[in-house]
């Protein structure tokens, strides 16, 4: 059996598993929609005011996209790996030709499809409900894909080292919520304490947010996080940093998946 055949079979099985869980399908797409309705359509932004949501609607597009790019891989991969451990499925997987890296890649491909569809829905709703004037950049595709790979690797880590599915979900929320609001998504760096600024650069989501914002809302583009002042195009520079982090997290995530239970 070739690698492509193995991956195709694993992707098909995981996709069918996802679509059978109607609650998971519903909330994967419903949660970001609720955020857009609350923060974008009800609270609205006030570009002439101050405080939270004081920027134009287009500024917050990376934040809305980050909801699915961050939480979907963390929760799905974390709980999936934990569920396989509880059911001794990795012991059975070890008897098949499918390697741990291939298994994680198949899971990542399914997540990429899910997140791609959710991201498209989010972009449509942001424009319709908030009137955001965004640039429809082709850079969005690699950003969503690379971001998915990065956080799938982190999700695999969470599932490998937590003691249960509930623990994996709790860990994904405990890590995801701070990252969502402290990675230049909904809260601008200027609104955070000065001492916290360098810590923002430690979050992979920061590079996703800065790059997506530079691509969809060029008026706010700044230098690449961590190498500002080098003259590197912020869209390309942030993507390169995110890609490097994605390679590391994916490799470590694949390595952390147990061979047996």
């Amino acid at each position: 059996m070739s690698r492509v055949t193995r991956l195709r079979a694993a992707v098909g099985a995981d996709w069918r598993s996802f679509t059978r869980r109607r609650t998971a399908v519903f909330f994967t797409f419903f949660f970001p929609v609720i955020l857009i309705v609350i923060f974008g359509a009800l609270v609205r932004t006030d570009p002439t005011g101050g405080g939270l949501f004081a920027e134009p609607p287009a500024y917050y597009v990376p934040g809305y996209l980050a909801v699915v790019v961050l939480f979907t891989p963390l929760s799905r991969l974390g709980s999936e790996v934990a569920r396989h451990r509880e059911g001794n499925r990795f012991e059975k997987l070890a008897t098949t030709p499918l390697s741990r890296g291939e298994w994680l890649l198949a899971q990542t491909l399914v997540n990429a499809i899910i997140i791609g569809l959710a991201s498209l829905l989010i972009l449509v709703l942001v424009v319709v409900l908030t009137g955001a004037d965004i640039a429809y950049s082709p850079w969005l595709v690699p950003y969503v894909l690379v971001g998915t790979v990065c956080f799938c690797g982190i999700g695999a880590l969470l599932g490998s080292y937590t003691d249960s599915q509930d623990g994996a979900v709790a860990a994904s929320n405990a890590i995801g919520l701070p990252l969502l609001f402290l990675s230049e998504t909904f809260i601008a760096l200027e609104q955070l304490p000065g001492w916290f600024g360098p810590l923002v650069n430690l979050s992979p989501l920061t590079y996703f947010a800065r790059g997506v914002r530079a691509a969809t809302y060029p008026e706010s583009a700044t230098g690449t996080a961590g190498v500002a002042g080098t003259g590197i195009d912020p869209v390309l520079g942030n993507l390169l940093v995110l890609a490097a982090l994605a390679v590391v997290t994916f490799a470590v995530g694949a390595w952390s998946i147990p061979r047996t239970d």
Side-chain angles (χ1 to χ4, degrees):
M1 179 182 291
S2 68
R3 176 172 297 175
V4 174
T5 303
R6 295 196 298 269
L7 284 174
R8 185 185 299 118
V11 168
D14 187 49
W15 176 258
R16 289 189 294 272
S17 175
F18 170 72
T19 55
R20 290 192 193 105
R21 301 172 188 169
R22 297 182 180 179
T23 303
V25 174
F26 177 77
F27 281 102
T28 296
F29 296 95
F30 181 73
F31 182 52
V33 170
I34 285 296
L35 285 181
I36 296 172
V37 171
I38 293 175
F39 295 128
L42 298 181
V43 177
R44 295 187 177 276
T45 60
D46 181 13
T48 62
L52 295 177
F53 296 97
E55 301 290 341
Y59 181 89
Y60 300 102
V61 169
Y64 296 129
L65 292 178
V67 173
V68 291
V69 172
L70 173 66
F71 279 103
T72 303
L74 289 186
S75 61
R76 289 198 75 244
L77 257 298
S79 61
E80 192 73 7
V81 172
R83 186 164 64 92
H84 274 59
R85 289 174 56 209
E86 291 176 357
N88 297 321
R89 297 188 182 185
F90 285 119
E91 185 172 344
K92 299 174 183 176
L93 181 66
T95 65
T96 71
L98 194 70
S99 67
R100 293 178 295 173
E102 291 171 343
W103 182 87
L104 181 56
L105 179 57
Q107 296 283 332
T108 302
L109 290 173
V110 173
N111 275 274
I113 296 172
I114 296 168
I115 293 169
L117 293 174
S119 297
L120 182 60
L121 174 63
I122 288 171
L123 288 175
V124 172
L125 289 177
V126 167
V127 172
V128 172
L129 296 179
T130 71
D133 184 15
I134 64 175
Y136 298 95
S137 172
W139 286 100
L140 284 174
V141 175
Y143 265 103
V144 170
L145 290 176
V146 174
T148 299
V149 173
C150 181
F151 291 108
C152 277
I154 297 175
L157 275 169
L158 295 179
S160 297
Y161 295 108
T162 50
D163 56 1
S164 65
Q165 284 185 258
D166 291 339
V169 173
S172 67
N173 289 332
I175 292 174
L177 282 174
L179 288 182
L180 180 62
F181 291 99
L182 300 177
S183 301
E184 290 197 50
T185 47
F186 295 105
I187 301 176
L189 188 61
E190 294 77 16
Q191 295 175 297
L192 297 172
W195 61 265
F196 193 82
L199 298 178
V200 172
N201 293 334
L202 299 178
S203 168
L205 196 63
T206 296
Y207 303 96
F208 173 85
R210 287 177 174 172
V212 170
R213 185 169 291 121
T216 60
Y217 185 45
E219 293 85 347
S220 68
T222 58
T224 304
V227 289
T230 61
I232 299 176
D233 177 72
V235 179
L236 176 60
N238 282 291
L239 181 61
L240 291 176
V241 176
L242 183 63
L245 293 173
V247 170
V248 173
T249 57
F250 186 90
V252 175
W255 174 83
S256 69
I257 294 174
R259 295 181 182 275
T260 57
D261 305 284

